[in-house]
Amino acid sequence: AGGRRATGVVKFYSSAKRYGFVRENKSNNEFFFHESKIRNGLNVETGMEVEFETLQDSSGKPAAATLSSKEGKMGTLMGVKEMQGLLLLLEQEAVSTSRK
């Protein structure tokens, strides 16, 4: 049986270890998740806002399933580092264009 949909913030995620924890906004409870529960190729990072389904794992501990971006968009989300890099590239392009 499925749980309820919730929103929260990724407290910890390790792509090397393939798991993480998300803290639910409403209850402040933490839910474990495995990378197999990440939907649509979402690029999960610590501090990211996500939606997820609350479940219990086989030992009865809180677990999260079907993690997706809070906005419900498909595909990957940019992390802070990627966004900063993109902004720097756009800024450099604007400067080089204005010098022509």
Side-chain angles (χ1 to χ4, degrees), residues 41-58:
L42 186 67
N43 184 20
V44 174
E45 292 185 0
T46 300
M48 175 184 282
E49 293 256 350
V50 293
E51 287 185 352
F52 59 98
E53 185 176 359
T54 62
L55 301 172
Q56 289 184 341
D57 66 16
S58 57

Side-chain angles (χ1 to χ4, degrees), residues 6-10 22 42 44 48-52 67-70:
T7 59
V9 176
V10 176
V22 60
L42 186 67
V44 174
M48 175 184 282
E49 293 256 350
V50 293
E51 287 185 352
F52 59 98
L67 266 76
S68 59
S69 70
K70 189 173 178 194

